[in-house]
Amino acid sequence: MKSKIETLKSQLLKALKAAKSDSEVRDLEVRYLGRSGKFNEIMRSLKDLSDEAKRTVGKLANMTKTELEVIVQKKYAELEMAAFDVIADKEWMDVTVPGTKPGVGHRHLISKFIEDLEVVFGRMGFAVAEGPDIETEHYNFDQLNMPADHPSRDMQDTFWVKNLKKMVLRTQTSPVQIRHMEAHEPPIRVISLGKTFRKDSDATHSPMFHQCEGLMVGEDISIANLKAVMTNALQQIFEDPAIKTRFRTSYFPFVEPGLEVDCTCPICHGEGKTADGVPCRLCKQCGWLEIAGAGMVHPKVLENVGYDSKKYTGFAFGMGLDRMVMIKHRVNHLRLLFENDLRFITQF
Ligand code: PHE
C-alpha cells in the first residue's frame, strides 16, 4: 500500500511537470485527487486492512494527497504566470521611448518670404494692403495709365476671364496702389504682396508668380526716399548690410521717371566672381542683379484717384519674389518652388 501511494505520487508529479495547460492539470487533478480518483480508491480499500495499518497508511495517504493538492495549485499559478509572460512579450511597450512627432508641415518658402517682407517693410512703417487676384481692366490697366495699345494688355500676356468682360487675372500688384489710394488720403506707406499672372511659361517664367508692390505718397517724397527704402529692405532681405543699389532709367506708364532697381549680387557681393575666383553664374559676372521696377508715381495716376499732384508726390516699386526666394535659398530651378516635391520641400 505504501509503495502504491509513492508510485501514485511520483506519477502525478511527472505528469504535472509535463502538463502545458489548465485543462491538462484539471484532468490530472480529477483523475488522481478527485472524488472517484486514485487516492480515494486507496482510501476505500483501507477497510480491508488491520486497524494499525489503517491508521498509518490512511495518515500517509491523507498527507500525500494534501501535499499534492498544494502542488497542483502551484502548477495552476505557474501556468497563469507563463500566460502573462507570453502576453507581456507580445504586447509590451516602453513608456520611456520618446513619441513620434506628427508631421505638421511648415509654410512654403514663398509664404515664409512674404511674411519676412511684411516684417522688413513693417519696420520702416509700411502697412500691408490687399487686392483681389481677379481684377478689372479698369484697375489693372486704365487707372495705371496703361493705354489700350500697351503691350501688357496684349492677349499674349494677359489671362482674360472668359464670359466676364473686362476682368483679368491681375498681371501685376500695381492695381492695389489704385485701390488703396482711392480709399485713403496721404500720407501713404503700404506694400502689397501676392500672386500675379501672365501667359509666360518656360524655365524661368511661371504663369503664376509673386510680386511685392510698394507705395509711399506724401509731401516731399523723392527718389532719395525710394533709394533709402529699397537699399535698406534689400540689405535686410539678403541679410547683408553691404548690399548697394543702383537705378537705371526705364519706362512704366504709371511712373515718371521710371526706373529699374539693381542691387549688388548677394552671391559674389558685386565682384562678378566668388571669393575663390569662380565666375559668378547668378549675375553673369556683372556684379549686379535686376531686382525691381520703380519710379515716381505719375501725376496722372495721382489725379486719377483724386489727389492733388501739385501737393503730393510719391514713389512706387514692384519686385518679383520668386527669383529672390531662389537666390536667398540657392534654389536653381523655378519649377521646384511650385512642384511641391516633398524631397525638395522637406529640406527647408
Ligand atoms: N508693375 C510693374 C511690373 O509688373 C513693376 C512696377 C511697379 C514698376 C511699380 C514701377 C512701379 O512690371
Side-chain angles (χ1 to χ4, degrees):
M1 268 305 194
K2 269 189 186 171
S3 68
K4 200 168 173 202
I5 292 173
E6 289 303 323
T7 313
L8 279 182
K9 178 181 173 182
S10 65
Q11 272 176 1
L12 178 55
L13 287 178
K14 202 169 156 207
L16 273 178
K17 212 169 182 186
K20 288 200 166 49
S21 67
D22 268 13
S23 62
E24 278 176 63
V25 178
R26 188 144 303 127
D27 215 44
L28 293 169
E29 192 181 11
V30 172
R31 263 199 293 135
Y32 285 82
L33 310 171
R35 196 187 301 216
S36 38
K38 297 185 191 236
F39 269 89
N40 280 358
E41 229 169 71
I42 290 179
M43 297 303 211
R44 275 192 294 277
S45 62
L46 288 182
K47 61 179 183 317
D48 307 329
L49 299 183
S50 67
D51 279 357
E52 172 64 18
K54 253 185 211 162
R55 225 178 297 119
T56 48
V57 177
K59 199 173 171 199
L60 177 67
N62 262 329
M63 270 169 59
T64 310
K65 196 182 166 200
T66 314
E67 184 191 345
L68 288 170
E69 271 161 358
V70 171
I71 291 174
V72 164
Q73 290 312 314
K74 263 195 193 152
K75 180 69 187 182
Y76 279 129
E78 242 169 59
L79 284 174
E80 195 179 2
M81 284 312 290
F84 274 132
D85 283 349
V86 170
I87 291 172
D89 266 353
K90 258 200 292 193
E91 299 180 7
W92 70 278
M93 75 175 179
D94 180 350
V95 294
T96 67
V97 171
T100 325
K101 272 194 191 161
V104 290
H106 58 77
R107 278 159 304 171
H108 190 277
L109 281 187
I110 292 175
S111 308
K112 179 82 181 62
F113 193 63
I114 284 174
E115 282 174 20
D116 289 350
L117 288 186
E118 289 174 357
V119 171
V120 164
F121 283 100
R123 286 193 196 111
M124 290 188 271
F126 284 78
V128 176
E130 285 182 353
D133 289 355
I134 303 174
E135 258 301 1
T136 60
E137 194 180 11
H138 174 76
Y139 284 116
N140 195 84
F141 297 123
D142 297 336
Q143 286 290 78
L144 287 160
N145 202 28
M146 295 176 104
D149 58 358
H150 192 275
S152 299
R153 301 180 73 142
D154 201 292
M155 299 294 276
Q156 298 307 312
D157 288 336
T158 304
F159 290 107
W160 295 84
V161 181
K162 220 175 173 178
N163 303 331
L164 265 183
K165 255 177 104 187
K166 297 177 183 291
M167 297 293 280
V168 297
L169 301 191
R170 65 178 181 187
T171 60
Q172 50 189 351
T173 39
S174 304
V176 186
Q177 287 182 34
I178 307 294
R179 286 179 177 277
H180 191 81
M181 286 193 287
E182 277 183 356
H184 299 83
E185 287 298 313
I188 279 174
R189 233 188 277 189
V190 286
I191 52 164
S192 185
L193 308 109
K195 293 183 177 64
T196 45
F197 307 84
R198 288 181 205 174
K199 277 191 183 175
D200 286 329
S201 189
D202 57 38
T204 53
H205 295 87
S206 146
M208 187 278 298
F209 56 105
H210 298 82
Q211 283 192 338
C212 171
E213 192 83 12
L215 176 70
M216 183 167 181
V217 181
E219 288 178 46
D220 301 323
I221 303 297
S222 72
I223 288 185
N225 299 116
L226 170 64
K227 174 105 174 164
V229 167
M230 289 306 285
T231 308
N232 185 298
L234 289 163
Q235 289 172 350
Q236 290 189 57
I237 291 166
F238 291 121
E239 296 167 41
D240 178 0
I243 293 226
K244 292 189 192 55
T245 56
R246 73 175 182 188
F247 291 170
R248 290 177 289 118
T249 52
S250 184
Y251 174 72
F252 300 95
F254 41 92
V255 286
E256 181 57 36
L259 303 164
E260 211 67 63
V261 181
D262 296 346
C263 75
T264 43
C265 176
I267 306 282
C268 68
H269 306 289
E271 297 299 326
K273 51 185 181 329
T274 55
D276 34 11
V278 182
C280 183
R281 288 208 306 192
L282 180 63
C283 64
K284 305 214 168 62
Q285 300 178 58
C286 87
W288 293 92
L289 287 182
E290 230 179 270
I291 222 79
M296 298 305 291
V297 182
H298 199 293
K300 244 165 121 179
V301 172
L302 295 174
E303 299 291 340
N304 281 347
V305 297
Y307 285 4
D308 180 353
S309 64
K310 297 255 168 3
K311 187 171 174 200
Y312 298 116
T313 52
F315 68 73
F317 63 83
M319 52 191 180
L321 300 187
D322 311 273
R323 196 167 70 113
M324 292 173 87
V325 170
M326 289 170 67
I327 295 167
K328 185 161 176 159
H329 296 286
R330 309 290 195 263
V331 175
N332 48 15
H333 292 293
L334 178 66
R335 63 185 158 75
L336 287 171
L337 291 180
F338 304 122
E339 277 175 347
N340 294 336
D341 186 328
L342 279 178
R343 287 169 302 179
F344 171 73
I345 290 171
T346 50
Q347 289 177 44
F348 300 96

